[in-house]
């Protein structure tokens, strides 16, 4: 189990889960039917924040590079893919059942007592296949078996040739993908940390074999810095190289980026040197040559693959936890999410001081001027103090208040979430002012 850290906080998860539900980040799935264990729906604010996490990843991995291209491969896939990848043979966890309370646990996650009821009456460990199996088409027989992908990575390997020939990229180059993956986890839990349906952000970087170590080190550093750049405190992050006996069957080296969750260290992302394992396995199984012709040396070779593989949903949760703070403003308790503006669900909230009709046209004009640049909220209900606190609680970095003076002087008040400082800004210069704050933030 994960070792404790200075950030261990038994009460924090309840606060995060309650905030997530109350403010529309994450809802338990199928709640009106009593819920569906360990599946979640992302609500109006959650969908914005999750999209921001994925966009931040895509920008750094694809948009800002000329050596990485994107892909969106199918989720449903034939058994041949998973036979070749090793998932049908290896992708299983040892599980034990408690004979007393009937709970099922991962054998490598528990000692010799049931964490649910304390009984020592456990079954022997048995392997449990983690892939979701289904049938494609109207007939349910062995010939129609299909699997929901348990990772996005294989989509990149089986499309290596398609992507390489259509883009004419030469190693080193990468293929990036964001999408849903499915694992029939034995012990899902800790909110969205481990769920059976989740989203991954993975990139397969194909390199000449002799450059693999250099690129492995490069991606470990680049990925670690990505979290810091988005405001993750360095004290809550660590890099943990895997011990030799922990490495996956395909890996010549793996380093995890770990986050100090309220219950201890947990993985956010793994960076692995997958060698030429995957391309060779698919070449052997499919009969399609998955190699690169190096014209300079007049030789074919199988590239090595360096893979940074992160979880989008798990990472969003880590950013929520890291940003959550309780402080006091003028003697009053407030809860605030100190999220980087790029991750906050709303960057700006437009708040007419009163519900009176006179303010609405100017407030709507301000809103319309901001919407091309920022995701905005528009809120007219309750006192301005309460509205500020509601925005603090969901991490909105800037509130813009329109008052009766605004109708005369064409200025609005901009309030900063973190300092609570308020300044008057001309409506005509508002977009430029807020854009300049994003550069400073
Ligand atoms: P774990 O050891 O936690 O089961 P893993 O090492 O099997 O994870 P990978 O296969 O490397 O995970 O997947 C890459 C990333 O996908 C993980 O670092 C994690 O962020 C995310 N991930 C994996 N499984 C889940 C899950 N069941 N729920 C949410 N995110 C997940």
């Amino acid at each position: 189990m994960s070792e404790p850290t200075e950030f261990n906080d038994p009460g924090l998860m309840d606060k995060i889960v309650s905030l997530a539900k109350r403010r529309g980040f994450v809802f338990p799935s199928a709640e009106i039917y009593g819920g569906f264990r360990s599946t979640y729906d992302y609500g109006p604010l959650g969908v914005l924040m999750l999209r921001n996490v994925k966009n931040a990843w895509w920008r750094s991995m694809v948009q800002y590079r000329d050596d990485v291209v994107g892909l969106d491969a199918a989720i449903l896939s034939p058994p041949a893919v998973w036979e070749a990848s090793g998932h049908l043979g290896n992708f299983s966890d040892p599980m034990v059942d408690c004979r007393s309370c009937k709970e099922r646990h991962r054998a490598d996650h528990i000692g010799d007592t049931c964490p649910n009821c304390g009984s020592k009456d456990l079954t022997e460990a048995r392997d449990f296949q983690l892939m979701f199996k289904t049938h494609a088409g109207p007939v349910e027989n062995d010939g129609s078996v299909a699997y929901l992908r348990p990772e996005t990575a294989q989509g990149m390997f089986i499309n290596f040739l398609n992507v390489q020939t259509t883009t004419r990229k030469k190693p080193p180059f990468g293929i990036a993908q964001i999408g849903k993956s499915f694992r029939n986890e034995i012990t899902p839990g800790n909110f969205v940390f481990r769920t059976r349906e989740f989203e991954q952000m993975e990139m397969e970087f194909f390199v000449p074999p002799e450059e693999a170590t250099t690129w492995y080190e490069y991606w470990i550093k680049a990925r670690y810095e990505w979290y810091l750049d988005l405001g993750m405190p360095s004290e809550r992050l660590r890099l943990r190289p895997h011990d030799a006996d922990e490495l996956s069957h395909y890996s010549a080296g793996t380093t995890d980026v770990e986050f100090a969750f309220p219950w201890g260290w947990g993985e956010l992302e793994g960076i692995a040197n997958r060698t030429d394992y995957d391309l060779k396995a698919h070449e052997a199984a499919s009969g399609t040559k998955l190699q690169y012709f190096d014209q300079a040396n007049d030789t074919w070779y199988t590239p090595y693959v360096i893979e940074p593989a992160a979880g989008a949903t798990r990472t969003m949760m880590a950013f929520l936890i890291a940003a959550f703070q309780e402080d006091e403003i003028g003697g009053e308790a407030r809860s605030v999410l100190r999220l980087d503006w790029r991750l906050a669900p709303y960057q700006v909230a437009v708040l007419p001081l009163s519900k009176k009709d006179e303010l609405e046209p100017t407030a709507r004009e301000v809103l319309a001027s901001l919407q091309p640049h920022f995701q905005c909220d528009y809120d007219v209900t309750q006192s301005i103090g309460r509205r500020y606190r509601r925005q603090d609680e969901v991490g909105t970095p800037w509130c813009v208040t329109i008052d009766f003076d605004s109708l005369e002087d064409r200025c609005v008040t901009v309030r900063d979430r973190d300092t609570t400082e308020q300044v008057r800004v001309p409506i005509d210069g508002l977009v430029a002012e807020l854009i300049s704050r994003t550069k400073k933030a």
Side-chain angles (χ1 to χ4, degrees):
M1 292 299 290
S2 46
E3 45 187 292
T5 76
E6 62 178 294
F7 295 100
N8 269 43
D9 182 348
L12 182 59
M13 278 319 291
D14 285 347
K15 290 183 186 170
I16 299 284
V17 173
S18 135
L19 172 77
K21 167 91 200 295
R22 187 160 36 82
R23 300 308 310 275
F25 283 85
V26 181
F27 305 127
S29 201
E31 201 182 9
I32 61 168
Y33 291 102
F36 184 47
R37 197 178 162 207
S38 106
T39 54
Y40 294 93
D41 297 340
Y42 288 75
L45 270 65
V47 76
L48 292 173
M49 184 173 170
L50 183 58
R51 189 167 295 176
N52 290 343
V53 169
K54 293 186 284 186
N55 284 347
W57 186 89
W58 192 266
R59 279 164 69 83
S60 100
M61 301 299 272
V62 182
Q63 187 176 334
Y64 278 92
R65 305 189 65 99
D66 62 2
D67 57 357
V68 179
V69 293
L71 183 75
D72 193 355
I75 289 172
L76 272 181
S77 35
V81 172
W82 308 107
E83 266 156 30
S85 70
H87 283 79
L88 275 173
N90 292 315
F91 197 59
S92 56
D93 279 334
M95 56 146 213
V96 293
D97 290 315
C98 172
R99 290 199 183 88
S100 171
C101 72
K102 312 290 180 218
E103 278 287 306
R104 180 165 282 181
H105 307 286
R106 247 168 84 164
D108 56 337
H109 278 181
I110 62 167
D112 53 9
T113 47
C114 170
N116 189 43
C117 71
S119 162
K120 286 188 178 299
D121 192 8
L122 305 175
T123 62
E124 289 293 305
R126 277 176 290 152
D127 276 347
F128 179 74
Q129 171 52 245
L130 294 177
M131 276 197 294
F132 279 98
K133 190 178 183 177
T134 185
H135 292 270
V139 186
E140 287 200 11
N141 60 24
D142 286 353
S144 65
V145 168
Y147 290 94
L148 301 190
R149 66 180 178 202
E151 61 176 32
T152 58
Q154 299 303 320
M156 279 80 104
F157 300 130
I158 62 178
N159 278 292
F160 169 76
L161 211 54
N162 283 336
V163 173
Q164 197 274 319
T165 51
T166 52
T167 61
R168 292 181 296 109
K169 294 279 176 204
K170 298 182 173 59
F173 81 95
I175 310 178
Q177 177 168 211
I178 298 176
K180 290 237 172 165
S181 294
F182 302 81
R183 297 181 188 176
N184 199 3
E185 299 277 5
I186 298 163
T187 34
N190 285 329
F191 196 34
V192 298
F193 177 82
R194 187 178 305 285
T195 49
R196 298 196 170 110
E197 173 176 347
F198 56 99
E199 258 185 298
Q200 291 190 305
M201 310 185 285
E202 297 194 297
M203 198 272 286
E204 310 304 321
F205 202 67
F206 300 92
V207 303
E210 64 280 9
E211 294 178 23
T213 307
T214 309
W215 283 110
Y216 175 58
E217 300 297 336
Y218 169 92
W219 281 112
I220 292 171
K221 185 162 177 285
R223 293 303 307 145
Y224 182 76
E225 282 169 2
W226 181 81
Y227 295 91
L228 297 183
D229 177 59
L230 286 168
M232 188 68 91
S234 59
E235 317 83 80
R236 286 199 91 133
L237 281 186
R238 74 173 185 188
L239 287 170
R240 192 183 65 82
H242 283 205
D243 294 334
D245 60 359
E246 206 189 332
L247 289 176
S248 314
H249 58 285
Y250 52 74
S251 174
T254 299
T255 297
D256 288 344
V257 180
E258 294 190 335
F259 173 75
F261 284 95
W263 61 87
W265 290 108
E267 172 184 334
L268 292 181
E269 164 159 7
I271 298 104
N273 175 356
R274 299 184 69 122
T275 70
D276 55 7
Y277 179 87
D278 305 276
L279 289 180
K280 282 201 164 145
H282 285 299
E283 179 173 295
S286 68
T288 304
K289 189 170 184 173
L290 298 176
Q291 299 180 20
Y292 176 73
F293 183 67
D294 176 5
Q295 275 178 332
N297 295 307
D298 199 25
T299 51
W300 289 92
Y301 72 86
T302 308
Y304 269 39
V305 174
I306 309 303
E307 174 196 74
T313 36
R314 197 182 276 186
T315 297
M316 171 184 143
M317 174 175 153
F319 277 115
L320 266 185
I321 292 169
F324 181 83
Q325 277 181 12
E326 290 169 305
D327 61 8
E328 271 191 14
I329 302 279
E332 246 195 90
R334 81 164 173 169
S335 117
V336 55
L337 286 181
R338 293 190 191 276
L339 288 169
D340 184 282
W341 69 273
R342 290 166 291 180
L343 300 181
Y346 299 120
Q347 284 82 55
V348 187
V350 175
L351 312 173
L353 190 64
S354 106
K355 266 198 232 168
K356 297 226 167 69
D357 290 347
E358 301 100 283
L359 294 183
E360 190 173 341
T362 309
R364 295 226 164 255
E365 176 198 333
V366 168
L367 176 68
S369 74
L370 293 169
Q371 278 170 328
H373 309 279
F374 299 106
Q375 182 74 51
C376 299
D377 191 17
Y378 184 82
D379 186 5
V380 289
T381 55
Q382 295 187 320
S383 76
I384 193 70
R386 289 187 77 157
R387 278 183 276 166
Y388 283 154
R389 279 193 297 284
R390 276 215 299 268
Q391 295 298 332
D392 290 343
E393 193 181 34
V394 298
T396 310
W398 302 294
C399 288
V400 171
T401 306
I402 292 90
D403 56 25
F404 291 96
D405 288 343
S406 308
L407 306 183
E408 307 298 322
D409 65 6
R410 301 273 306 157
C411 285
V412 291
T413 302
V414 176
R415 174 196 182 261
D416 183 278
R417 174 196 70 202
D418 294 335
T419 62
T420 71
E421 193 184 71
Q422 302 188 18
V423 292
R424 287 297 273 183
V425 174
I427 291 174
D428 289 346
L430 181 63
V431 168
E433 164 65 22
L434 291 174
I435 288 177
S436 83
R437 291 186 182 209
T438 66
K439 306 238 156 79
K440 277 181 241 144

